[in-house]
Amino acid sequence: MLNKIILMGRLTRDPELRRTQSGTAVTSFSIACDRDFKSPSGEKETDFIDVVAWRNTAEFVSKYFAKGRMAVVEGRLQIRDWTDREGGKRRSAEVVADNVYFGDSKRDSGGEYGGSSYGALPAYGAPASSGRAPAAGFGGGSDFAEIGEEDGELPF
């Protein structure tokens, strides 16, 4: 039997990192996924999907993701039955994330860090801030020569 789900959407809120009594990290968040089609009224519809991540994945998500950031979630669908405070039987569905990937670059998420703190990661494609000269082939001190259009044939 197979229970595998892959979703891509934007976080609707900042992830919440908690720990179980035994110290295991768990993070919960939800993502908004647009549907591929429009409703009969012409409106695009969105599904809001609850996601829970455990251990290292939980710590990764809580450190590097924030509200509005695009995420790709790979995991499994889990259905839970529970009883609410009034004694009513309830059922909820959530995705248990095995892996979470960045679905956008820092540049695409709005601002260098998308208006939120994503930790100490540099912006995608940003030059190193070490004060050193750029590496060869990346804008400085390069051993490569640019081939102009007037050269005719390519050298390979």
Side-chain angles (χ1 to χ4, degrees):
M1 302 215 213
L2 182 65
N3 183 355
K4 182 98 169 164
I5 189 165
I6 299 173
L7 302 166
M8 182 173 179
R10 296 201 179 272
L11 273 70
T12 62
R13 57 185 160 87
D14 289 338
E16 303 168 17
L17 179 66
R18 299 180 311 276
R19 300 231 177 239
T20 64
Q21 289 179 343
S22 63
T24 304
V26 58
T27 299
S28 59
F29 58 99
S30 67
I31 60 173
C33 300
D34 289 336
R35 294 185 182 173
D36 290 339
F37 54 89
K38 294 181 180 179
S39 68
S41 65
E43 302 276 329
K44 261 230 177 217
E45 293 186 11
T46 303
D47 293 307
F48 298 92
I49 300 166
D50 293 326
V51 181
V52 63
W54 293 87
R55 298 173 187 77
N56 291 340
T57 305
E59 291 176 359
F60 173 76
V61 169
S62 69
K63 186 173 182 180
Y64 296 112
F65 286 82
K67 180 180 178 178
R69 187 74 196 259
M70 181 74 72
V72 178
V73 177
E74 176 185 26
R76 63 184 171 85
L77 184 62
Q78 175 176 284
I79 308 297
R80 291 187 301 123
D81 293 316
W82 49 283
T83 305
D84 64 15
R85 292 181 182 167
E86 290 80 37
K89 300 287 185 188
R90 305 288 302 233
R91 176 173 266 202
S92 60
E94 63 190 5
V95 173
V96 178
D98 294 325
N99 296 298
V100 178
Y101 307 97
F102 294 110
D104 60 0
S105 68
K106 299 277 186 187
R107 192 176 309 167
D108 294 340
S109 62
E112 183 178 11
Y113 292 103
S116 300
S117 171
Y118 291 126
L121 288 179
Y124 179 78
S129 59
S130 64
R132 299 187 322 232
F138 294 97
S142 175
D143 293 333
F144 297 99
E146 187 173 322
I147 299 174
E149 292 180 29
E150 67 278 350
D151 290 345
E153 294 184 34
L154 294 174
F156 50 85

